[in-house]
Each structure stands twice: as structure tokens, then as C-alpha cells.
């Protein structure tokens, strides 16, 4: 028979086992701190995320680090203000705690906040609009006016010619307008002949370039105000170069005029295709932005706002104007090729 001391020892061991079980499998004694997950919606002005690849990488990284549930939403029709406003209201109704918006019209988006149709904090991307009424609004983005100035200074330094053609979409967004204004601020006082070709097709651009050659005796330099127009022009130049290299069976040139459409091509954008065209020499100068940081910081700012913390209004992030030789420079690796 076990002595009383032995029985007490077994009872003690049993109680220890029960206590260890409760500690490991239940929260009756030690309750784990619940992790708060905030729903955040990102609504852009475009119908595609082609220009938001690095931004999404930064956004996704922040979502993991900060335990955020982030939804990325595009429009059905690019630049449709009414559609964007409907999506903003829908996301708020579906439970988003903070809205991050790249606005078609920043003033109209803020009006939703001022009219109290939007009651959650709002972060505007790449907008100069300022809240004048009630509500919580912050901004984050890039100084596109300064970017335009820096690109114009590079164009002037390259000295390819005094004729400049600005190409872009028919209805330029506010970013393209600020970028254009920065270019004009530098080049106009220097006496450049500047033509505006917004809203035309690549074929119409080509005809305008030829007309300028006939008038001035020299081809112009093309400057794209938006990434889509820059890509279209780079594709057009690549196709023309391929035609130049076409030869007949006798080894003779195909007979096509080997003069290029423009003396140089400049613009803005971060997509892989644009970087490839820069590397091939189709683009001479490219304005780039740190979209990864923009994506990360916008989500971090949203989480801070959801937790009612005071946040710093980060207005302008890093941007650069690069040439072909800059693609291999280490200082640009994070901006151009961020790792998720």
C-alpha cells in the first residue's frame, strides 16, 4: 500500500498535469492578446494595375507586417469619377476602416468627406486637394511638378534639338498636368519650340513629327506625359527600327526611310516594359518614383489612423530621373526592382 505521503505526491503531480493542460490548450488562465485586423480599401483611378505593380508589392508587404486586410480595387472605366465615388461609398458600407484613394478628381472625393457621406479616414494618393471641412484626410505621393522640371533639365542638357512635342492622353489627369507644367517651367524660358499633341494616336504623332521636319528642317524630341503614351511611342519606335533592319533577298535595304521619327524620347513610368525600352535605347530619359515605399507607407498610415493615432502627413516621397546607364546602379535597385 502507498503511504499517505506517496498519495499526496501523486495528487500533486496530477494537479500539475491539469494545470499544464489548461495553460497549453485553453485561455482560462492566460488569455492571448487578440490581434486586431483592420479592413483597408485601395481604390485607384485606372482600370488596370499595370502602373501599380511596385505599389502593390509595398502594400502587400505592409499588410503582412501590420496585420491589415487590404483590398485593391480598379475602376471598370479608367478615369470615371462617378464610378470611383460609388466604389468609395460601397467599400465604406462593406466595412472598410480607412480608404486609400488615387482620385480621378481629388476635390470631389474630399467633398464626400466634407458632406459626411464618407465617415472613415481618407488617404489621397498623388493629389494636391486639401480638406477644408470636417473629417480626417491625409496625403501621400510625389512632386510631379519637380519631376517634370528635372526631366526638362535632362532634355536641355542632352541638346538633341529645340523642337519639343508633348504627347499624352486626350483627357490628362492631374498628375500629367503637374508633370507637364514642370517641363514647361524649364523649357519655355529657354526658347524651345513646344507643340502639344495630347489626345492623338501614334499614327497622328508620326504625321505631326514629319510636318515639323518639313517646317523646321529638324525632327523634334518627344516627351510623353503619362506612362501609357510613353509605352505606345516606344513600341512605335521599336517597330520602325525593325522595319529599318528588314532587307531584301539580295541583301539590299528595303528602301524605307531610315530616319527615325524623333531625335529622342522621354517620359515617366516604372513598369518593366518601360525599363526594358530604356535599356534598349528607345527611351533616353525616364522619371521614376519609389512606388514600393508609397504602397507600404500608405497602408501603415491607414493602420495608424484606424487606431486613432496621430500621423504625419507624408506629402512627397522619393523620385529620380534616370538614363540607360543608371539601370544597373545599386542606389536604384529598391525603386526599380523591389523584393516583396
Amino acid at each position: 500500500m502507498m503511504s499517505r505521503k506517496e498519495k499526496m505526491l501523486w495528487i500533486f503531480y496530477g494537479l500539475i498535469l491539469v494545470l499544464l493542460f489548461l495553460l497549453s490548450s485553453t485561455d482560462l488562465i492566460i488569455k492571448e492578446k487578440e490581434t486586431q485586423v483592420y479592413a483597408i480599401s485601395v481604390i485607384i483611378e485606372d482600370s488596370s494595375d499595370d502602373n501599380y505593380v511596385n505599389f502593390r508589392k509595398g502594400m502587400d508587404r505592409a499588410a503582412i507586417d501590420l496585420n491589415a486586410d487590404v483590398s485593391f480595387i480598379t475602376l471598370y472605366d479608367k478615369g470615371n469619377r462617378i464610378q470611383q465615388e460609388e466604389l468609395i461609398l460601397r467599400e465604406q458600407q462593406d466595412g472598410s476602416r480607412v480608404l486609400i484613394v488615387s482620385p480621378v478628381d481629388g476635390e470631389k472625393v474630399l467633398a464626400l468627406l466634407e458632406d459626411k457621406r464618407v465617415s472613415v479616414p481618407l488617404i489621397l494618393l498623388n493629389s494636391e486637394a486639401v480638406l477644408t471641412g470636417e473629417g480626417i484626410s491625409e496625403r501621400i505621393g510625389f512632386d510631379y511638378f519637380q519631376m517634370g522640371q528635372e526631366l526638362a533639365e535632362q532634355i536641355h542638357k542632352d541638346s538633341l534639338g529645340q523642337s519639343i512635342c508633348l504627347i499624352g492622353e486626350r483627357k490628362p489627369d492631374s498628375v500629367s498636368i503637374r508633370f507637364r507644367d514642370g517641363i514647361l517651367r524649364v523649357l519655355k524660358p529657354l526658347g524651345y519650340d513646344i507643340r502639344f499633341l495630347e489626345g492623338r494616336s501614334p499614327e497622328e504623332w508620326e504625321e505631326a513629327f514629319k510636318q515639323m521636319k518639313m517646317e523646321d528642317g529638324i525632327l523634334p524630341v518627344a516627351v510623353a506625359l503619362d506612362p501609357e503614351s510613353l509605352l505606345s511611342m516606344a513600341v512605335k519606335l521599336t517597330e520602325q527600327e525593325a522595319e529599318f533592319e528588314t532587307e531584301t533577298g539580295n541583301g539590299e535595304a528595303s528602301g524605307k526611310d531610315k530616319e527615325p521619327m524623333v531625335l529622342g524620347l522621354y517620359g515617366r513610368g516604372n513598369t518593366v516594359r518601360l525599363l526594358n525600352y530604356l535599356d534598349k535605347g528607345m527611351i533616353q530619359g525616364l522619371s521614376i518614383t519609389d512606388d514600393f515605399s508609397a504602397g507600404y507607407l500608405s497602408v501603415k498610415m491607414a493602420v495608424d489612423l484606424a487606431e486613432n493615432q496621430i500621423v504625419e502627413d507624408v506629402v512627397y516621397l522619393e523620385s529620380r530621373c534616370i538614363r540607360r546607364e543608371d539601370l544597373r546602379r545599386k542606389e536604384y535597385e529598391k525603386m526599380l526592382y523591389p523584393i516583396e
Side-chain angles (χ1 to χ4, degrees), residues 273-293:
R273 293 187 69 184
L274 289 178
L275 296 177
N276 287 338
Y277 281 121
L278 179 66
D279 196 26
K280 293 176 182 177
M282 293 296 110
I283 299 173
Q284 279 63 53
L286 187 64
S287 293
I288 61 170
T289 50
D290 188 358
D291 292 352
F292 182 89
S293 294

Side-chain angles (χ1 to χ4, degrees), residues 307-321:
E307 294 178 344
N308 297 317
Q309 296 185 30
I310 298 175
V311 302
E312 182 180 356
D313 188 3
V314 181
V315 179
Y316 296 132
L317 299 177
E318 186 179 18
S319 63
R320 288 288 186 272
C321 184

Side-chain angles (χ1 to χ4, degrees), residues 22-213:
L22 292 175
L23 288 174
S24 62
S25 61
T26 72
D27 61 355
L28 292 176
I29 299 176
I30 300 177
K31 293 186 177 182
E32 293 185 6
K33 183 179 179 180
E34 293 184 4
T35 301
Q36 182 69 53
V37 179
Y38 297 107
I40 299 167
S41 295
V42 180
I43 306 171
I44 64 171
E45 82 295 349
D46 208 336
S47 58
S48 167
D49 68 347
D50 290 348
N51 295 318
Y52 284 85
V53 174
N54 288 348
F55 181 91
R56 294 195 68 172
K57 289 180 180 180
M59 180 191 81
D60 292 340
R61 180 72 260 171
I64 294 172
D65 291 348
L66 304 173
N67 297 310
D69 179 14
V70 183
S71 300
F72 187 89
I73 302 162
T74 60
L75 303 183
Y76 304 112
D77 302 309
K78 180 179 178 179
N80 190 317
R81 177 180 64 81
I82 302 300
Q83 192 177 101
Q84 187 176 61
E85 291 177 5
E86 291 173 349
L87 288 171
I88 289 172
L89 296 175
R90 185 197 73 181
E91 290 303 302
Q92 177 183 241
Q93 185 176 0
D94 289 347
S96 287
R97 296 288 300 276
V98 181
L99 298 170
I100 302 172
V101 181
S102 179
V104 175
D105 186 328
E107 301 292 344
K108 296 294 184 181
V109 171
L110 286 182
L112 296 176
L113 198 62
E114 293 172 341
D115 295 342
K116 299 183 179 180
R117 297 178 64 192
V118 170
S119 57
V120 299
L122 182 67
I123 299 172
L124 293 185
L125 301 174
N126 299 319
S127 175
E128 299 294 331
V130 179
L131 185 68
T132 57
E134 297 183 7
I136 299 175
S137 172
E138 304 292 344
R139 293 179 298 162
I140 188 170
F142 304 93
D143 189 343
Y144 286 95
F145 183 85
Q146 178 64 29
M147 286 170 59
Q149 289 183 305
E150 291 175 355
L151 186 66
E153 289 168 358
Q154 179 175 322
I155 293 170
H156 180 63
K157 186 176 181 180
D158 290 346
S159 301
L160 298 180
Q162 287 294 114
S163 296
I164 304 291
C165 279
L166 301 180
I167 60 177
E169 297 184 335
R170 185 174 301 277
K171 294 181 179 180
D173 53 41
S174 60
V175 167
S176 297
I177 292 172
R178 295 201 303 276
F179 187 63
R180 179 195 65 194
D181 291 346
I183 293 170
L184 295 177
R185 173 65 67 86
V186 173
L187 296 185
K188 263 193 170 183
L190 295 174
Y192 280 82
D193 176 19
I194 301 174
R195 310 285 181 93
F196 300 88
L197 301 180
E198 291 100 328
R200 304 190 191 182
S201 67
E203 290 71 25
E204 291 174 313
W205 296 339
E206 186 175 6
E207 288 302 317
F209 300 150
K210 290 178 180 178
Q211 184 64 33
M212 291 184 70
K213 172 64 186 301

Side-chain angles (χ1 to χ4, degrees), residues 206-273:
E206 186 175 6
E207 288 302 317
F209 300 150
K210 290 178 180 178
Q211 184 64 33
M212 291 184 70
K213 172 64 186 301
M214 292 175 61
E215 294 174 2
D216 306 330
I218 188 171
L219 287 169
V221 172
V223 182
L225 302 178
D226 56 80
E228 293 80 8
S229 298
L230 181 60
L231 179 59
S232 296
M233 190 63 201
V235 170
K236 191 72 176 175
L237 291 177
T238 303
E239 292 173 350
Q240 185 192 50
E241 187 177 78
E243 291 177 354
F244 290 165
E245 294 174 353
T246 302
E247 293 184 346
T248 65
N250 295 325
E252 299 176 354
S254 62
K256 292 185 178 292
D257 184 3
K258 288 194 174 184
E259 187 176 57
M261 281 189 289
V262 291
L263 294 178
L265 176 61
Y266 299 80
R268 64 178 178 88
N270 285 46
T271 66
V272 172
R273 293 187 69 184

